[in-house]
Amino acid sequence: MRRYRNNAGSPVRTDYGIGLQTGLRAFPETTPLATAFEVLNDGLETAHLERQARRKPMVQARARVRFGNYHVDQAIRMTHNAAQNADGGRRGPLTIALFPEGLTEVVAPKGAAQIAPTEELLDRFAKSKLPAMVPLRAEWVPRIETELARLQQAAATYEAARKAYVDAYTEEVAQRAEHARQVDRLMGLVRAEFPRDKAKQDVIFPDLARDSTVPSEDEEEDEEEVETSSSVPATST
């Protein structure tokens, strides 16, 4: 009797479970054990499918953050150029008022991290008392605000989608752990039912090395992905 490895993904576990249900029902002594385990196995499959269904919206939302970041970045860069032109083609009073630390400090942050420096730029626009800032403000603040609002919405949508995915993954992991625990429990019950019949014990449980219907036992990369997706992603422009 061999169980799947501890790092096996859900498809490996549920395929193994289907084989185990069949094995339990092959003998009248163990048939009563099959029904409850089938419910558990189906529950793990459902949790896996639910998590998979939540992946696409998360990836789509992540892409929208990338494009939101790009459009905000472009609006800020054009604003910087407009300020320099208004200063006579150099870094003058308007450019310094809006970009005291330079352009890079404002556009370097990526993803949702772009929101805060953009809000700070808008605040500098609002507080500036330079007369020449009035036309610059009228032209560029609405553009920046429009793109910032889109980025904020994209970031909020991504965070909600990411949380839904992480919650589904957490549930799936819990189901995986219970599945393994129940397989171990069934091994003990089968040994007790057929204490001197190793051949019968072994045939009830799937042989992962022999059964070509069971996919690779390599663990999926979900744990790493959940860790690296714990916040709105950094994106490149």
Side-chain angles (χ1 to χ4, degrees):
M1 293 186 292
R2 282 193 62 193
R3 175 167 67 75
Y4 44 77
R5 296 201 302 259
N6 289 334
N7 68 343
S10 296
V12 171
R13 295 170 192 248
T14 53
D15 278 8
Y16 179 97
I18 293 168
L20 177 53
Q21 295 162 38
T22 304
L24 291 170
R25 291 191 171 104
F27 302 99
E29 296 91 338
T30 53
T31 294
L33 301 175
T35 300
F37 183 72
E38 182 175 13
V39 172
L40 176 67
N41 201 66
D42 289 347
L44 175 56
E45 182 178 25
T46 298
H48 175 68
L49 293 174
E50 175 67 18
R51 192 256 302 175
Q52 289 292 88
R54 294 181 182 275
R55 180 178 177 82
K56 183 177 180 180
M58 180 184 70
V59 174
Q60 288 175 329
R62 186 168 58 201
R64 293 189 187 102
V65 172
R66 184 173 75 251
F67 282 101
N69 185 184
Y70 168 81
H71 289 299
V72 168
D73 184 277
Q74 293 303 303
I76 292 172
R77 290 178 185 277
M78 288 188 290
T79 299
H80 181 265
N81 288 339
Q84 283 194 324
N85 289 336
D87 279 332
R90 60 185 178 81
R91 181 175 168 78
L94 291 171
T95 309
I96 293 172
L98 293 176
F99 302 92
E101 304 298 328
L103 174 63
T104 301
E105 290 295 316
V106 184
V107 298
K110 306 303 178 185
Q114 181 69 72
I115 293 173
T118 304
E119 291 174 334
E120 291 166 2
L121 172 62
L122 291 171
D123 186 60
R124 289 193 290 273
F125 254 121
K127 291 180 177 178
S128 175
K129 301 298 189 279
L130 293 172
M133 190 68 75
V134 174
L136 203 65
R137 182 188 298 126
E139 180 176 2
W140 292 102
V141 164
R143 298 192 192 187
I144 296 172
E145 287 179 336
T146 296
E147 299 303 340
L148 176 60
R150 290 173 180 167
L151 174 58
Q152 290 170 324
Q153 180 59 53
T157 300
Y158 172 76
E159 181 57 28
R162 185 202 67 81
K163 184 179 184 304
Y165 181 87
V166 171
D167 288 347
Y169 178 69
T170 301
E171 173 61 24
E172 183 182 353
V173 168
Q175 294 263 19
R176 287 180 187 177
E178 179 60 14
H179 192 275
R181 191 180 75 82
Q182 289 301 323
V183 170
D184 289 341
R185 185 181 75 87
L186 288 170
M187 285 181 174
L189 293 174
V190 170
R191 287 192 190 96
E193 190 65 46
F194 307 114
R196 290 176 294 277
D197 194 339
K198 190 174 187 306
K200 188 173 288 187
Q201 293 174 14
D202 288 344
V203 78
I204 289 174
F205 290 83
D207 185 340
L208 293 172
R210 183 181 60 193
D211 189 350
S212 61
T213 66
V214 177
S216 168
E217 286 190 83
D218 291 344
E219 169 65 320
E220 299 162 318
E221 297 180 353
D222 299 304
E223 292 184 15
E224 179 181 352
E225 178 173 345
V226 167
E227 290 176 2
T228 57
S229 300
S230 61
S231 61
V232 177
T235 61
S236 60
T237 58

